[in-house]
Amino acid sequence: MHSVGKSWLLLTGFVFFYVIYLLFGALVFSSIERPVEDKLRHDMERLKEEFLNQSCVNAASLELFLNKVLTANKYGVSVLRNSSGRSNWDLASSMFFANTLVTTVGYGHPTPLSDAGKAFSIVYALIGVPFTMLVLTACVQRVMHPLVLAPVTLLQRSGLKPRPATVVHFLLLLIVVVLCFFLAPAAVFSVVEVSWTFLDGIYFCFISLCTIGLGDFVPAARPGQQYRALYQVAVMVYLFLGLMVMYLLLRTLHKMADVHGLTTLLQLPRCEESVLEEDTEPIVSNDPTPPQLKDKAASKPLDPGSQPSYNSINKG
Amino acid sequence: MHSVGKSWLLLTGFVFFYVIYLLFGALVFSSIERPVEDKLRHDMERLKEEFLNQSCVNAASLELFLNKVLTANKYGVSVLRNSSGRSNWDLASSMFFANTLVTTVGYGHPTPLSDAGKAFSIVYALIGVPFTMLVLTACVQRVMHPLVLAPVTLLQRSGLKPRPATVVHFLLLLIVVVLCFFLAPAAVFSVVEVSWTFLDGIYFCFISLCTIGLGDFVPAARPGQQYRALYQVAVMVYLFLGLMVMYLLLRTLHKMADVHGLTTLLQLPRCEESVLEEDTEPIVSNDPTPPQLKDKAASKPLDPGSQPSYNSINKG
């Protein structure tokens, strides 16, 4: 029980540091980008005023004006009147941006304007992307037992053979995921985002949870969006849980392929089983001997070269 | 030697089908999106003409005009005179888009305009993303021996202990990757893309190879780019090789963590060793027994429940 508590404590710690890392990123991005954005926004307002004050608009001046408008727009600064009030780099939006960086979704709305912002993005993602992968992996490991091992065992006990049991389980899991992480959120988005259709919602969910993140649909980008910050936080939670579930689905598929001998057929790396052994195993173990080595030690003589190497570590 | 040839044949087949899949995607995207884009482009040209023919520009008409300009720009159709000639959905650009979809980089320039294009993107990525992962995994497996196992063995033979050998090897690999896949391409991009600085190049390489793909910097997007199609194909090859190398680096890091006992400490899934055994092993094996089972069969009694299940497959 002690080790279970410890393992959950470590996981909670991971998630806590993940949130802290996002908040830290949000603060830095906001402080770097907000002044640059404010200046660009101010410049654009002046430019628009000057354009309107012209006695006559000719093709050349329009071209020049549009060029500047489109460049500013690329950096997320719109010249439209109804969007001139809101910043892309307030705390919630910066946190949303930081989240899309570390999850590799990367919508690209907004993008850093300054060189300092770009350099910080690189450093931030360099640490953040592997850390997010670690947090997601640790989270998926915690839910593998209740969502994969237990249901498959249950199906086997109810009379199904192992191979059909894994297929039935995978299909059931897929249906639940499609319902809860694609159809339901798409319905919500099509209501909350006025200009989105249901297909747009599905498209957004799919493009986001595959981490493609094209950025043609970004939630909370509409001017005058109510409770924007809260909405952005909700989308961040959705993205995290969604990526976790996609990873879970991928591992379940990989395991199913293992059971059906497909990974062996293609000689691809097999899915690890250690996490399935028991949900109650600690993430941090006080015993430095890997469980695989322990299992094998009983049945094989000790290797004279006991220090692990690339060649020997998994062969015990 | 026969099996080696077979394994390379299968890998070549994978890469061949990958290219065919990209070409197929390019053809479909181009045929769906090009007419929609042409219509939007034509509409925008007419709109611009009408705007210029107005006797006097007022704030309201400018607002309406800019709204339409920015919406069209979101879909990759620019009203600027120097970019009105080129399409985002010619064959090379469509292939580039298909490539950013299946690699999950997803710059988002361009994005599908029509509902048919969005629906096809979902289906295309649904098959393409796992297939690309498979091709990348198979490619990385083929280079693991010459780039990871052989150099580490060499370092060990030259007197280094296994743990320091893995660290030295990882650092050397990291330096080579940074030089060949970040610094050198960044230098090339900063020359070819007139408006990019060297930092922009580094930022583009990093954001792309982490599959974040913000899309604020997209190669070959400049109007009047020479040899655009060839350049786009070169970037696609760079992206593929770069992603392969990033995956290789990640696996090497994972293996190093294994050797140092870090994955055991955090009880994370360990990196597979099977691919490191010998580069000469076939991808397709005629013998259906997994190598792990073969190893263990000699030292452990046969399990009475011989059919593999989630609980038993890796425990032999």
Side-chain angles (χ1 to χ4, degrees):
Chain A
M1 190 58 210
H2 173 67
S3 62
V4 183
K6 204 171 168 188
S7 116
W8 279 104
L9 197 71
L10 193 82
L11 188 68
T12 315
F14 269 177
V15 175
F16 176 73
F17 275 109
Y18 179 70
V19 175
I20 293 289
Y21 192 67
L22 287 184
L23 268 172
F24 162 71
L27 281 170
V28 176
F29 279 119
S30 188
S31 62
I32 293 177
E33 295 299 332
R34 192 114 191 216
V36 190
E37 184 196 32
D38 283 345
K39 193 186 169 299
L40 184 61
R41 194 180 298 281
H42 184 254
D43 287 353
M44 289 314 296
E45 275 165 21
R46 216 189 46 213
L47 191 80
K48 196 174 162 188
E49 244 171 66
E50 279 172 14
F51 183 77
L52 276 170
N53 288 339
Q54 280 179 115
S55 56
C56 186
V57 175
N58 60 38
S61 68
L62 180 67
E63 203 71 16
L64 197 73
F65 174 66
L66 287 178
N67 202 344
K68 287 179 180 167
V69 165
L70 293 178
T71 308
N73 187 63
K74 190 180 140 188
Y75 291 112
V77 173
S78 173
V79 286
L80 296 179
R81 207 183 304 139
N82 60 4
S83 64
S84 58
R86 76 175 194 85
S87 170
N88 289 312
W89 298 103
D90 55 49
L91 200 66
S93 302
S94 298
M95 197 170 169
F96 190 77
F97 174 74
N99 188 49
T100 66
L101 267 191
V102 295
T103 55
T104 79
V105 174
Y107 295 120
H109 294 275
T111 58
L113 293 91
S114 64
D115 281 353
K118 287 174 203 163
F120 182 69
S121 296
I122 296 178
V123 177
Y124 189 74
L126 202 61
I127 302 166
V129 172
F131 179 59
T132 307
M133 281 163 73
L134 186 75
V135 177
L136 281 171
T137 308
C139 288
V140 168
Q141 259 177 272
R142 287 298 103 187
V143 296
M144 278 300 273
H145 183 265
L147 296 183
V148 181
L149 183 61
V152 169
T153 311
L154 206 71
L155 282 168
Q156 278 176 246
R157 274 187 199 148
S158 72
L160 275 176
K161 286 192 172 172
R163 287 191 180 184
T166 61
V167 177
V168 169
H169 166 260
F170 179 73
L171 290 177
L172 285 174
L173 188 67
L174 188 68
I175 291 170
V176 172
V177 168
V178 168
L179 272 174
C180 300
F181 286 88
F182 290 88
L183 298 180
V188 173
F189 283 123
S190 64
V191 171
V192 178
E193 299 283 338
V194 182
S195 61
W196 293 20
T197 63
F198 183 67
L199 174 70
D200 293 340
I202 295 272
Y203 173 73
F204 165 76
C205 294
F206 185 83
I207 294 293
S208 298
L209 297 191
C210 284
T211 76
I212 298 171
L214 290 174
D216 42 357
F217 292 90
V218 180
R222 185 169 59 92
Q225 175 74 53
Q226 275 195 315
Y227 311 112
R228 184 189 307 279
L230 191 70
Y231 182 27
Q232 282 175 322
V233 171
V235 175
M236 275 189 264
V237 173
Y238 162 71
L239 281 181
F240 186 85
L241 292 178
L243 288 176
M244 213 178 106
V245 159
M246 290 297 275
Y247 186 33
L248 180 78
L249 214 56
L250 206 68
R251 285 197 68 177
T252 311
L253 183 73
H254 200 165
K255 272 181 193 300
M256 190 172 71
D258 272 356
V259 172
H260 286 79
L262 291 176
T263 44
T264 311
L265 189 76
L266 295 171
Q267 282 244 335
L268 294 173
R270 297 172 70 213
C271 202
E272 282 292 330
E273 281 296 306
S274 61
V275 293
L276 279 184
E277 293 183 9
E278 253 316 306
D279 194 27
T280 49
E281 283 192 14
I283 287 185
V284 169
S285 164
N286 291 328
D287 178 2
T289 319
Q292 290 89 334
L293 294 181
K294 272 188 259 174
D295 290 340
K296 290 173 190 172
S299 55
K300 269 194 138 185
L302 276 171
D303 203 307
S306 62
Q307 199 160 11
S309 78
Y310 272 30
N311 297 322
S312 67
I313 189 153
N314 266 17
K315 293 173 188 168
Chain B
M1 192 59 209
H2 172 69
S3 63
V4 182
K6 204 172 167 186
S7 117
W8 278 103
L9 198 72
L10 193 83
L11 188 67
T12 315
F14 269 176
V15 175
F16 176 74
F17 275 109
Y18 178 70
V19 175
I20 293 289
Y21 192 68
L22 287 185
L23 270 172
F24 161 72
L27 282 170
V28 176
F29 278 119
S30 189
S31 60
I32 293 177
E33 296 299 331
R34 192 112 191 218
V36 190
E37 184 195 32
D38 283 345
K39 193 186 168 298
L40 184 61
R41 195 181 298 280
H42 183 254
D43 287 354
M44 289 314 295
E45 274 165 22
R46 217 188 46 212
L47 190 81
K48 194 174 163 187
E49 245 171 70
E50 279 174 13
F51 183 77
L52 275 172
N53 288 339
Q54 282 178 115
S55 57
C56 185
V57 174
N58 59 40
S61 68
L62 180 66
E63 202 71 15
L64 197 72
F65 175 67
L66 287 178
N67 202 344
K68 286 178 180 168
V69 165
L70 293 178
T71 307
N73 187 65
K74 190 179 139 185
Y75 291 112
V77 173
S78 173
V79 287
L80 296 179
R81 210 184 302 140
N82 60 4
S83 65
S84 59
R86 76 174 194 87
S87 169
N88 289 313
W89 297 103
D90 56 48
L91 201 66
S93 302
S94 299
M95 198 169 167
F96 190 78
F97 174 73
N99 188 50
T100 65
L101 266 191
V102 296
T103 55
T104 79
V105 174
Y107 295 121
H109 293 275
T111 57
L113 292 90
S114 65
D115 280 352
K118 287 174 204 164
F120 182 69
S121 297
I122 296 178
V123 178
Y124 189 75
L126 201 60
I127 301 165
V129 172
F131 179 58
T132 308
M133 280 164 72
L134 186 74
V135 177
L136 281 170
T137 308
C139 289
V140 168
Q141 259 178 271
R142 288 298 102 187
V143 296
M144 278 300 273
H145 182 264
L147 296 183
V148 181
L149 183 60
V152 169
T153 312
L154 205 73
L155 283 168
Q156 279 176 246
R157 274 187 200 145
S158 73
L160 273 177
K161 286 193 173 171
R163 288 191 177 183
T166 62
V167 176
V168 170
H169 166 260
F170 179 74
L171 290 177
L172 285 175
L173 189 67
L174 188 68
I175 290 168
V176 173
V177 168
V178 169
L179 272 175
C180 300
F181 287 88
F182 290 89
L183 297 181
V188 173
F189 283 123
S190 65
V191 171
V192 178
E193 300 281 339
V194 182
S195 60
W196 294 20
T197 63
F198 183 67
L199 174 69
D200 293 340
I202 295 271
Y203 173 73
F204 165 77
C205 293
F206 185 83
I207 293 293
S208 297
L209 297 190
C210 285
T211 77
I212 298 170
L214 289 174
D216 42 358
F217 292 89
V218 181
R222 186 169 59 93
Q225 175 73 53
Q226 275 195 316
Y227 311 110
R228 183 190 308 281
L230 191 71
Y231 181 28
Q232 281 175 322
V233 171
V235 175
M236 273 188 265
V237 173
Y238 162 71
L239 281 181
F240 187 84
L241 292 178
L243 288 177
M244 214 177 105
V245 159
M246 289 298 274
Y247 186 32
L248 180 80
L249 213 56
L250 205 68
R251 285 196 67 177
T252 313
L253 184 71
H254 200 165
K255 271 181 195 302
M256 190 173 72
D258 271 356
V259 172
H260 286 79
L262 290 176
T263 44
T264 311
L265 189 74
L266 295 171
Q267 281 245 335
L268 294 172
R270 296 171 70 212
C271 200
E272 282 291 329
E273 281 298 305
S274 61
V275 293
L276 279 185
E277 294 183 7
E278 251 317 305
D279 194 28
T280 51
E281 282 191 16
I283 286 185
V284 169
S285 166
N286 293 327
D287 177 3
T289 320
Q292 289 88 334
L293 294 181
K294 272 188 263 179
D295 289 340
K296 290 175 189 171
S299 56
K300 270 195 136 183
L302 276 172
D303 203 309
S306 61
Q307 199 162 8
S309 78
Y310 271 31
N311 296 323
S312 67
I313 188 152
N314 267 17
K315 293 174 188 167

